[in-house]
Amino acid sequence: MAGSQQLESNKQSFVEAWIQRPAFRAAYDLLTNDRYVDSLIAHTGVSFTPNERDSLVQGLTLGTLTRAAAVERIAEDARFVRAKANQTFVMMEYFGYLRRDPDESGYQFWLNKLNQFDGNFERAEMVKAFINSGEYRARFSR
């Protein structure tokens, strides 16, 4: 199996296993297709157009789309990926440089700054700020 085919197969297997988790099933199994799609979209923090939403619902209703495939389409939406990439980058700055969970105000500050610079961490001067911070430098003077 070629690398891209293997990756696609692995992603599908992961999503299939994800939606079989008891917590996911408890939250979503009894929802209608409309409510399922609406609930998934609501958790993204991203606005989907009515046509995008309706296309997912119609695919589920007609059987041309599985619930796992709907999750995958929503999770791979470029707007969602972009939004989560910035959040993840800020978290990794805290974990990687400061070796701790972020405090809420600092996290929001850096997320807003990164969003302000369209995800460009160099222009936002994030790495520079973290490695020049007293907290980071104190890790090496102990």
Side-chain angles (χ1 to χ4, degrees):
M1 188 179 287
S4 62
Q5 288 175 322
Q6 183 66 49
L7 176 61
E8 189 59 36
S9 176
N10 289 347
K11 285 192 305 184
Q12 289 173 356
S13 294
F14 174 81
V15 175
E16 287 288 344
W18 181 265
I19 69 166
Q20 293 305 317
R21 291 178 18 253
F24 191 92
R25 294 192 69 181
Y28 294 101
D29 272 4
L30 298 179
L31 297 181
T32 63
N33 292 335
D34 289 61
R35 297 211 41 217
Y36 179 74
V37 169
D38 290 342
S39 183
L40 292 174
I41 289 172
H43 283 89
T44 67
V46 173
S47 295
F48 282 67
T49 67
N51 285 341
E52 291 169 326
R53 179 240 180 234
D54 293 346
S55 175
L56 291 166
V57 172
Q58 184 177 20
L60 291 170
T61 301
L62 296 176
T64 58
L65 191 66
T66 66
R67 285 190 166 209
V71 168
E72 189 173 353
R73 282 195 189 168
I74 291 169
E76 290 182 342
D77 180 86
R79 294 162 298 190
F80 178 63
V81 170
R82 195 169 37 254
K84 293 304 173 191
N86 287 349
Q87 292 174 359
T88 302
F89 187 83
V90 173
M91 293 290 287
M92 293 311 298
E93 291 289 291
Y94 276 91
F95 296 153
Y97 291 113
L98 305 182
R99 305 235 169 132
R100 67 171 174 87
D101 288 336
D103 54 283
E104 187 60 30
S105 63
Y107 174 81
Q108 286 303 322
F109 171 82
W110 286 112
L111 181 58
N112 290 339
K113 189 161 187 177
L114 189 58
N115 287 337
Q116 177 186 353
F117 285 93
D118 296 320
N120 186 322
F121 64 89
E122 291 172 327
R123 286 191 11 232
E125 298 187 343
M126 287 186 70
V127 173
K128 183 189 270 182
F130 274 82
I131 63 176
N132 286 324
S133 72
E135 184 177 349
Y136 176 74
R137 290 177 178 265
R139 286 183 42 215
F140 303 100
S141 63
R142 295 178 191 168

